Structures are given as C-alpha cells and as structure tokens.
Amino acid sequence: MKKGIFLIAIILLLICSWSAGWFFIVDKVETEIAKAKNRLEQTGGKIECANQTSSGFPFRISISCDQFVVERGSSGFKSNGLKSAAQAYQPNNILLELNSPGTLTQPNGTPLNLEWSSMRSNLKAGLSKLNAISFQTKNLIASPQNGERPMAVSDLQYHERLQGENNLDIAVAMIDVKDALFGPFGRHNFDLRTEISISNVHDEFSKNRNLGALLKTRDVETQIQRLHVVMDGGGGVKISGPANFSPQGIITAKLDIEISDLDKLLALAIQSNPRGEKEIRQAGQAIKLLAKADANGVRSFNFSVDQNVLKLGLIPLGKLPRLY
C-alpha cells in the first residue's frame, strides 16, 4: 500500500514538474519574442503578431497569430497568419508556417500581392544566438498591384548557418522562375542556385539582418562557392571564387567562369538590350577567342575585378560604378 502511494506521489510530482516546466518555457519564448520586437523597433522596424496565443501542452509549444507583419523603413511583409511549433523538450528547434495570401512592400514602396501553396521556416538556436535558418516557399506568385503580369517561382529556398566561430554560409535557390522582370531588359525564365561564405560577419548580421548596411562599415571577404544561372531558352553561367567588398563600395574579385551555350546567351542578351548589340557581340567574340568550347559546349575562363575595373583575362573591359 505504501509503495503504491509513493508511486502515485512520484507520478504526480513528475506531472506537476512537467507542467511547471512547460509554462516556464512558454514564458521564456514569449519573453524572447518581445525582446525581438524591441530590437527591431530600436532599428526602425516593427513586428506585429495579431491575437497572439500559446498552446500545445503538454508536449509541444505553439505560438500562433491571425496576422503577421514585419516592417523596416519603406519595406515590409504581411501574411494571413502565422503558426510556430517546437517540442517542449527541444524548444531551440522552431518550425514556422505562414498562411497565404500576403503582401510584400519593396524598398521603393511598390507593393506586391503574394500567394503560395506552402511557406515554411526552420530556426535552430544555440545558447545565445541563432545557428541556422531555413526558409522554403512553394508555388509562389507575386503580382504587382498596378496590374502588370505576375512573376511565378515553383520553389524558393533560403538557407543560412553559422560556420565556425563567426562565419556565415548562405545558400539560395530559385527553381523554375517565370516572367521575372529585369527592368528595361524584359522578362525572363530561369533557374538560380548560389552558395556563398562570408567571413567574420555572423554576429553583426544577426543583430539587424541588413547585409547592405554591414558592407558600408568595414571590409567584407566572401567566397562564392557557386553562382549558377540557367536560362529557360538555353545557356547558363556558373561563377565561383573570392570577392571582397570595401566600405567605399569597391570590389576586388578573382572569379572562375563557365558558360554553356554562349550563342544562345548572346542572342538572349541582344533581344533584351538591342541598343547594346555591338558591345554584346564584341564581348562574345572576346570570350570565344579566350576560351574554346569543350565537348559539351562549355567555355571556361578567368574573370577579375581589380578595384572595380573589369578584366577578361588581361583585357580590361571597363569600370564598374561603386556599389554605394
């Protein structure tokens, strides 16, 4: 009898301890959310989570709201609600899901109406900072509110992780992009994949997530592991190599270039920019002289940027304007 009472007491104690622990973790999560809001507000931004609620007891921690809004300056994002979840025993691994539809306000103030079939994110935190972020959106349609033709992306991905003590690895993929507008150069369909490592910036970048502002404060060293663009009509470009940026907007880079189906790319470039046909053809001839195509039609060569001066091998091609 005493053993039974003792066992029941232990079980009740465990239940009470688990319950207290769950509410303690929820309180900590809500406190961190409030801190994140305050940090963004201090840098001129805003986060709103309308009608925020907590649920999921006993094994999950879920935070949800009816409308989610993030704003910074003239740009912002709004979705039709947010759901987040983490296991109570692993609260540092957070899953987020954003409900369609939404609105994206670009830095120039132009709004886009967004629709998607799935928009999810995974956050992994260490003891004092985020170690990794993954974001994926499927079947995204971005429609300008002025009635212009929408752009579509079948699969949009962004991945970010802490590498070593303070280095940042970023990977981006845009698969099956349709009708992307490139200003006066028209609309194009393509696939893009890129992987970049940036030295000694993770902690600073995590504070306000503004890489452009960070570039203006000090020298930044990057390593382009891969930047690969494949056009829908044929032709592609793959770039890799180191690229460094100064606070004055000056670029120094030594890049390895691979071009497939050069003639198709030249035809597309001329179609997009007829006024530049002469310069485009000259650049094409220079590439053909510099790099012969292999059996697969791929041309490989080195391309450098020396203090914003473009060079194809030893041939100077012109000077880039400063980034800012």
Side-chain angles (χ1 to χ4, degrees):
M1 184 67 177
K2 290 182 179 180
K3 289 183 179 180
I5 294 174
F6 179 74
L7 181 60
I8 292 173
I10 292 296
I11 293 173
L12 290 174
L13 179 62
L14 290 173
I15 292 173
C16 291
S17 299
W18 183 266
S19 299
W22 186 89
F23 284 105
F24 173 78
I25 293 172
V26 168
D27 181 67
K28 292 289 289 182
V29 170
E30 292 178 342
T31 299
E32 289 302 316
I33 292 174
K35 288 181 179 179
K37 290 181 179 180
N38 289 334
R39 283 195 298 268
L40 190 59
E41 288 174 358
Q42 290 172 3
T43 58
K46 181 176 71 172
I47 295 179
E48 291 183 359
C49 192
N51 299 321
Q52 180 178 312
T53 59
S54 302
S55 60
F57 181 82
F59 299 115
R60 291 170 67 85
I61 298 171
S62 299
I63 307 290
S64 61
C65 53
D66 296 336
Q67 188 179 76
F68 179 70
V69 178
V70 179
E71 295 178 355
R72 172 175 283 166
S74 59
S75 60
F77 172 79
K78 178 172 67 176
S79 76
N80 188 31
L82 172 146
K83 297 177 182 177
S84 67
Q87 301 294 339
Y89 50 83
Q90 197 177 17
N92 63 328
N93 189 359
I94 304 167
L95 300 175
L96 301 175
E97 184 169 358
L98 295 159
N99 299 331
S100 181
T103 304
L104 174 68
T105 304
Q106 302 175 85
N108 63 5
T110 304
L112 295 173
N113 293 331
L114 305 180
E115 296 180 25
W116 58 86
S117 63
S118 172
M119 183 179 288
R120 296 177 178 175
S121 183
N122 178 218
L123 311 178
K124 294 183 179 180
L127 293 176
S128 59
K129 56 189 174 184
L130 282 174
N131 288 340
I133 298 174
S134 291
F135 172 87
Q136 183 175 31
T137 300
K138 292 191 174 182
N139 302 314
L140 174 68
I141 299 175
S143 305
Q145 292 186 357
N146 61 8
E148 291 184 1
R149 197 159 75 237
M151 179 185 80
V153 185
S154 293
D155 190 358
L156 172 63
Q157 298 183 36
Y158 173 86
H159 305 280
E160 170 192 316
R161 68 176 181 178
L162 171 66
Q163 184 70 14
E165 289 295 324
N166 195 29
N167 299 328
L168 178 66
D169 284 355
I170 293 177
V172 177
M174 300 176 68
I175 310 302
D176 194 21
V177 180
K178 302 293 186 185
D179 287 324
L181 180 61
F182 290 87
F185 303 114
R187 294 180 178 272
H188 298 284
N189 306 333
F190 62 91
D191 289 351
L192 178 147
R193 293 176 173 85
T194 182
E195 299 164 10
I196 301 175
S197 297
I198 310 176
S199 300
N200 199 33
V201 299
H202 182 275
D203 292 349
E204 290 180 75
F205 176 69
S206 298
K207 292 176 182 177
N208 58 20
R209 314 203 64 76
N210 190 335
L211 188 57
L214 180 59
L215 287 171
K216 296 178 183 179
T217 62
R218 62 179 178 84
D219 292 328
V220 174
E221 298 180 359
T222 72
Q223 178 71 34
I224 303 171
Q225 309 293 350
R226 177 179 65 158
L227 173 56
H228 193 191
V229 181
V230 179
M231 305 306 295
D232 186 46
V237 179
K238 185 184 293 186
I239 301 172
S240 61
N244 300 330
F245 303 85
S246 78
Q248 294 77 33
I250 295 174
I251 306 171
T252 300
K254 293 183 178 180
L255 305 174
D256 297 321
I257 312 291
E258 294 183 7
I259 295 181
S260 57
D261 294 329
L262 175 61
D263 288 335
K264 290 183 179 179
L265 287 179
L266 294 174
L268 180 61
I270 292 170
Q271 179 185 348
S272 303
N273 182 23
R275 293 184 178 180
E277 179 175 356
K278 180 180 177 180
E279 291 78 8
I280 292 170
R281 291 193 183 279
Q282 288 176 344
Q285 288 300 319
I287 292 172
K288 289 179 179 180
L289 289 172
L290 185 67
K292 293 183 178 181
D294 63 15
N296 297 316
V298 177
R299 300 174 187 270
S300 302
F301 57 94
N302 301 117
F303 184 88
S304 64
V305 184
D306 184 7
Q307 300 290 305
N308 278 23
V309 177
L310 299 173
K311 292 183 178 180
L312 185 59
L314 298 176
I315 305 171
L317 300 178
K319 191 171 184 178
L320 292 171
R322 294 192 178 193
L323 287 179
Y324 31 78

mmCIF file of all heavy atoms in Angstrom, residues 31-47:
data_model
loop_
_atom_site.group_PDB
_atom_site.id
_atom_site.type_symbol
_atom_site.label_atom_id
_atom_site.label_comp_id
_atom_site.label_asym_id
_atom_site.label_seq_id
_atom_site.Cartn_x
_atom_site.Cartn_y
_atom_site.Cartn_z
ATOM 1 N N THR A 31 8.877 35.903 -23.870
ATOM 2 C CA THR A 31 9.810 36.968 -23.500
ATOM 3 C C THR A 31 10.800 37.244 -24.627
ATOM 4 O O THR A 31 11.101 38.403 -24.946
ATOM 5 C CB THR A 31 10.575 36.598 -22.215
ATOM 6 O OG1 THR A 31 9.642 36.423 -21.154
ATOM 7 C CG2 THR A 31 11.569 37.685 -21.844
ATOM 8 N N GLU A 32 11.310 36.167 -25.263
ATOM 9 C CA GLU A 32 12.253 36.339 -26.371
ATOM 10 C C GLU A 32 11.575 36.995 -27.568
ATOM 11 O O GLU A 32 12.192 37.798 -28.282
ATOM 12 C CB GLU A 32 12.849 34.984 -26.778
ATOM 13 C CG GLU A 32 13.820 34.403 -25.762
ATOM 14 C CD GLU A 32 14.981 35.333 -25.474
ATOM 15 O OE1 GLU A 32 15.543 35.909 -26.435
ATOM 16 O OE2 GLU A 32 15.321 35.505 -24.286
ATOM 17 N N ILE A 33 10.312 36.660 -27.810
ATOM 18 C CA ILE A 33 9.568 37.311 -28.899
ATOM 19 C C ILE A 33 9.448 38.806 -28.632
ATOM 20 O O ILE A 33 9.645 39.635 -29.522
ATOM 21 C CB ILE A 33 8.170 36.668 -29.062
ATOM 22 C CG1 ILE A 33 8.302 35.234 -29.579
ATOM 23 C CG2 ILE A 33 7.303 37.502 -30.003
ATOM 24 C CD1 ILE A 33 7.000 34.477 -29.623
ATOM 25 N N ALA A 34 9.136 39.152 -27.387
ATOM 26 C CA ALA A 34 9.028 40.563 -27.020
ATOM 27 C C ALA A 34 10.369 41.274 -27.190
ATOM 28 O O ALA A 34 10.430 42.420 -27.664
ATOM 29 C CB ALA A 34 8.530 40.695 -25.585
ATOM 30 N N LYS A 35 11.468 40.603 -26.825
ATOM 31 C CA LYS A 35 12.796 41.197 -26.993
ATOM 32 C C LYS A 35 13.114 41.416 -28.468
ATOM 33 O O LYS A 35 13.700 42.441 -28.847
ATOM 34 C CB LYS A 35 13.859 40.296 -26.355
ATOM 35 C CG LYS A 35 13.859 40.295 -24.837
ATOM 36 C CD LYS A 35 14.966 39.391 -24.318
ATOM 37 C CE LYS A 35 15.010 39.381 -22.792
ATOM 38 N NZ LYS A 35 16.073 38.469 -22.280
ATOM 39 N N ALA A 36 12.732 40.431 -29.315
ATOM 40 C CA ALA A 36 12.974 40.566 -30.756
ATOM 41 C C ALA A 36 12.209 41.760 -31.319
ATOM 42 O O ALA A 36 12.728 42.512 -32.159
ATOM 43 C CB ALA A 36 12.579 39.286 -31.473
ATOM 44 N N LYS A 37 10.984 41.934 -30.858
ATOM 45 C CA LYS A 37 10.190 43.090 -31.292
ATOM 46 C C LYS A 37 10.878 44.387 -30.888
ATOM 47 O O LYS A 37 10.977 45.331 -31.690
ATOM 48 C CB LYS A 37 8.790 43.023 -30.679
ATOM 49 C CG LYS A 37 7.901 41.923 -31.239
ATOM 50 C CD LYS A 37 6.527 41.970 -30.564
ATOM 51 C CE LYS A 37 5.603 40.902 -31.122
ATOM 52 N NZ LYS A 37 4.267 40.925 -30.472
ATOM 53 N N ASN A 38 11.363 44.440 -29.655
ATOM 54 C CA ASN A 38 12.017 45.660 -29.173
ATOM 55 C C ASN A 38 13.298 45.955 -29.954
ATOM 56 O O ASN A 38 13.586 47.113 -30.277
ATOM 57 C CB ASN A 38 12.332 45.533 -27.676
ATOM 58 C CG ASN A 38 11.086 45.579 -26.815
ATOM 59 O OD1 ASN A 38 10.068 46.164 -27.211
ATOM 60 N ND2 ASN A 38 11.138 44.965 -25.648
ATOM 61 N N ARG A 39 14.079 44.893 -30.260
ATOM 62 C CA ARG A 39 15.320 45.093 -31.014
ATOM 63 C C ARG A 39 15.026 45.656 -32.401
ATOM 64 O O ARG A 39 15.725 46.557 -32.879
ATOM 65 C CB ARG A 39 16.092 43.774 -31.131
ATOM 66 C CG ARG A 39 16.842 43.373 -29.870
ATOM 67 C CD ARG A 39 17.851 42.288 -30.165
ATOM 68 N NE ARG A 39 17.224 41.078 -30.664
ATOM 69 C CZ ARG A 39 16.830 40.066 -29.897
ATOM 70 N NH1 ARG A 39 16.994 40.136 -28.586
ATOM 71 N NH2 ARG A 39 16.280 38.993 -30.427
ATOM 72 N N LEU A 40 13.992 45.133 -33.051
ATOM 73 C CA LEU A 40 13.648 45.614 -34.380
ATOM 74 C C LEU A 40 13.135 47.045 -34.321
ATOM 75 O O LEU A 40 13.461 47.874 -35.180
ATOM 76 C CB LEU A 40 12.600 44.702 -35.021
ATOM 77 C CG LEU A 40 12.312 44.945 -36.503
ATOM 78 C CD1 LEU A 40 13.578 44.780 -37.335
ATOM 79 C CD2 LEU A 40 11.219 44.007 -37.007
ATOM 80 N N GLU A 41 12.349 47.359 -33.289
ATOM 81 C CA GLU A 41 11.838 48.721 -33.146
ATOM 82 C C GLU A 41 12.968 49.723 -32.926
ATOM 83 O O GLU A 41 12.909 50.857 -33.398
ATOM 84 C CB GLU A 41 10.843 48.780 -31.991
ATOM 85 C CG GLU A 41 9.515 48.085 -32.296
ATOM 86 C CD GLU A 41 8.595 48.028 -31.094
ATOM 87 O OE1 GLU A 41 9.018 48.492 -30.008
ATOM 88 O OE2 GLU A 41 7.468 47.519 -31.237
ATOM 89 N N GLN A 42 14.017 49.288 -32.229
ATOM 90 C CA GLN A 42 15.152 50.174 -31.981
ATOM 91 C C GLN A 42 15.938 50.491 -33.250
ATOM 92 O O GLN A 42 16.660 51.490 -33.305
ATOM 93 C CB GLN A 42 16.091 49.549 -30.940
ATOM 94 C CG GLN A 42 15.492 49.515 -29.535
ATOM 95 C CD GLN A 42 16.339 48.726 -28.565
ATOM 96 O OE1 GLN A 42 17.412 48.236 -28.926
ATOM 97 N NE2 GLN A 42 15.875 48.588 -27.331
ATOM 98 N N THR A 43 15.808 49.648 -34.273
ATOM 99 C CA THR A 43 16.483 49.891 -35.553
ATOM 100 C C THR A 43 15.509 50.403 -36.604
ATOM 101 O O THR A 43 15.790 50.349 -37.805
ATOM 102 C CB THR A 43 17.166 48.608 -36.057
ATOM 103 O OG1 THR A 43 16.181 47.557 -36.204
ATOM 104 C CG2 THR A 43 18.239 48.151 -35.088
ATOM 105 N N GLY A 44 14.348 50.879 -36.160
ATOM 106 C CA GLY A 44 13.393 51.482 -37.083
ATOM 107 C C GLY A 44 12.410 50.513 -37.706
ATOM 108 O O GLY A 44 11.731 50.859 -38.676
ATOM 109 N N GLY A 45 12.308 49.293 -37.182
ATOM 110 C CA GLY A 45 11.396 48.299 -37.737
ATOM 111 C C GLY A 45 10.236 48.009 -36.819
ATOM 112 O O GLY A 45 10.051 48.638 -35.766
ATOM 113 N N LYS A 46 9.434 47.013 -37.216
ATOM 114 C CA LYS A 46 8.253 46.666 -36.425
ATOM 115 C C LYS A 46 7.841 45.228 -36.729
ATOM 116 O O LYS A 46 7.921 44.771 -37.868
ATOM 117 C CB LYS A 46 7.102 47.618 -36.768
ATOM 118 C CG LYS A 46 5.823 47.355 -35.992
ATOM 119 C CD LYS A 46 4.754 48.411 -36.305
ATOM 120 C CE LYS A 46 4.212 48.236 -37.691
ATOM 121 N NZ LYS A 46 3.038 49.130 -37.941
ATOM 122 N N ILE A 47 7.425 44.510 -35.678
ATOM 123 C CA ILE A 47 6.821 43.185 -35.826
ATOM 124 C C ILE A 47 5.474 43.199 -35.122
ATOM 125 O O ILE A 47 5.381 43.651 -33.980
ATOM 126 C CB ILE A 47 7.699 42.069 -35.209
ATOM 127 C CG1 ILE A 47 9.019 41.933 -35.945
ATOM 128 C CG2 ILE A 47 6.965 40.725 -35.276
ATOM 129 C CD1 ILE A 47 9.931 40.870 -35.356
#
